[in-house]
Amino acid sequence: MSVRIDELDRKILGCLQVDASRSLDEIATEVGSSKTPVWNRIRKMREAGIITSQTVTLDAEALGFDACFYVLIRTSEHEQDWQKRFLEALNARPEVQEAHRLAGDIDYILKVRVPNARAYDAFYQALISEVKIHNVTALLSMEEIKSTTALPL
Amino acid sequence: MSVRIDELDRKILGCLQVDASRSLDEIATEVGSSKTPVWNRIRKMREAGIITSQTVTLDAEALGFDACFYVLIRTSEHEQDWQKRFLEALNARPEVQEAHRLAGDIDYILKVRVPNARAYDAFYQALISEVKIHNVTALLSMEEIKSTTALPL
DNA sequence: TCTGAAAGCCGATTCCT
DNA sequence: AGGAATCGGCTTTCAGA
């Protein structure tokens, strides 16, 4: 499934990751090419699903989302049905920004962004009432030191 | 520091979070307004720092980044100087996508995206050679269940 | 596959309500 | 402060090499 990407594609992606609002001309100049080829390559990478989407990133704190938790979850249930319901619960909750199934001792990790601790508790209570969870540890963020979605191409 | 945001602003941000490549006209129609006010509001929110940046999100696996780790870090050093060097080390390493300082038992959590386990080990060795770290636990992701940067406005 | 040019749409500004 | 109209520029397309 890994698509062929050459050096020029990589440079283009690098540019777009930094700032997707720049004009084709600017990008073309920076990567040492010209508009049309750059445009064609971007289109192809969009179609191939390499470029997933184009979004804005917002300042969470400025919008009143002052609390961020990483939640470590252990479960005793490992049946298909439980997993399906758990997954649906996560997808239905917009405060869950990330969810990964893990290898080892801890089964899942979530990143949860909420206005305050009370909102986290509401989320937590709602979650454990929907699906059975064996053990939960919440790690409260005091400070976001670094945050990027950029891949090190 | 929390800026005044009304219902219309919130709708606009919601639109942009979903797809920032849409035209002003489309957004204006969807939020029930027209181009000029929408444009002015977007500009203001950019200036206010509410809209931080505009980027593309890339498919990490399609680009060969098959491994994702959450790294839990305990340290015995809590001096200013140590913290400064640790922070610089994190910022210098592009494979670190997120870094948070935590409250409680565990001091820091990192999200690290790399091509494979070997690359993670290289990162890990480099990090502990630069700064003294008391205890490290790496959680290996088996599956990315959910991933979004969108805030639940 | 890249270059160059042409067409049409969109972002940005201005004026009017 | 929102709506309409305008202009310039950029995206997008299409020949041609």
Side-chain angles (χ1 to χ4, degrees), chain B residues 70-85:
Chain B
Y70 285 91
V71 184
L72 309 179
I73 293 177
R74 285 189 186 85
T75 178
S76 42
E77 318 278 315
H78 290 97
E79 303 116 46
Q80 285 266 315
D81 181 58
W82 181 90
Q83 196 167 347
K84 184 169 167 249
R85 282 191 302 125

Side-chain angles (χ1 to χ4, degrees), chain A residues 2-3 5 13 16-21 49-65 68 70 72 83 87 90-91 93-103 106 108-109 111 113 139-153, chain B residues 2-3 5 13 16-21 49-65 68 70 72 83 87 90-91 93-103 106 108-109 111 113 139-153:
Chain A
S2 204
V3 192
I5 294 291
L13 291 177
L16 290 176
Q17 278 192 143
V18 174
D19 183 358
S21 70
I50 292 172
I51 299 174
T52 306
S53 64
Q54 186 166 336
T55 59
V56 292
T57 62
L58 306 179
D59 183 329
E61 294 194 8
L63 291 163
F65 290 86
C68 179
Y70 285 92
L72 309 179
Q83 196 167 347
L87 208 143
L90 297 181
N91 277 314
R93 309 216 147 258
E95 53 268 65
V96 178
Q97 293 198 311
E98 300 175 22
H100 286 249
R101 186 166 58 81
L102 302 175
I106 294 162
Y108 295 92
I109 187 168
K111 183 184 182 185
R113 179 89 70 174
L139 308 176
L140 169 60
S141 169
M142 289 284 96
E143 182 186 5
E144 187 169 292
I145 297 173
K146 183 173 183 176
S147 175
T148 178
T149 56
L151 298 170
L153 303 169
Chain B
S2 205
V3 193
I5 295 291
L13 292 178
L16 291 175
Q17 278 193 144
V18 174
D19 183 359
S21 70
I50 292 172
I51 298 175
T52 306
S53 64
Q54 187 166 336
T55 60
V56 293
T57 62
L58 306 179
D59 183 329
E61 294 195 7
L63 292 164
F65 290 85
C68 179
Y70 285 91
L72 309 179
Q83 196 167 347
L87 210 144
L90 297 181
N91 277 314
R93 308 216 146 259
E95 52 269 65
V96 178
Q97 294 198 311
E98 300 175 21
H100 285 249
R101 186 166 59 79
L102 302 175
I106 295 163
Y108 296 92
I109 186 169
K111 182 183 182 185
R113 178 90 69 175
L139 308 176
L140 169 60
S141 170
M142 289 283 97
E143 183 187 4
E144 187 168 291
I145 296 173
K146 182 172 184 178
S147 175
T148 179
T149 56
L151 298 171
L153 304 168

Side-chain angles (χ1 to χ4, degrees), chain B residues 94-141:
Chain B
E95 52 269 65
V96 178
Q97 294 198 311
E98 300 175 21
H100 285 249
R101 186 166 59 79
L102 302 175
D105 187 29
I106 295 163
D107 295 304
Y108 296 92
I109 186 169
L110 315 180
K111 182 183 182 185
V112 179
R113 178 90 69 175
V114 282
N116 49 51
R118 180 171 300 124
Y120 171 74
D121 193 50
F123 160 78
Y124 170 74
Q125 297 293 342
L127 184 66
I128 61 171
S129 78
E130 281 183 54
V131 289
K132 191 183 165 196
I133 290 173
H134 178 248
N135 179 281
V136 175
T137 306
L139 308 176
L140 169 60
S141 170

Side-chain angles (χ1 to χ4, degrees), chain A residues 15-33:
Chain A
C15 269
L16 290 176
Q17 278 192 143
V18 174
D19 183 358
S21 70
R22 296 165 66 194
S23 79
L24 266 184
D25 262 330
E26 282 181 291
I27 296 168
T29 311
E30 181 158 332
V31 302
S33 182

Side-chain angles (χ1 to χ4, degrees), chain A residues 1-16:
Chain A
M1 215 280 153
S2 204
V3 192
R4 270 277 210 76
I5 294 291
D6 67 11
E7 197 49 44
L8 183 54
D9 290 322
R10 199 162 277 122
K11 279 188 194 168
I12 294 169
L13 291 177
C15 269
L16 290 176

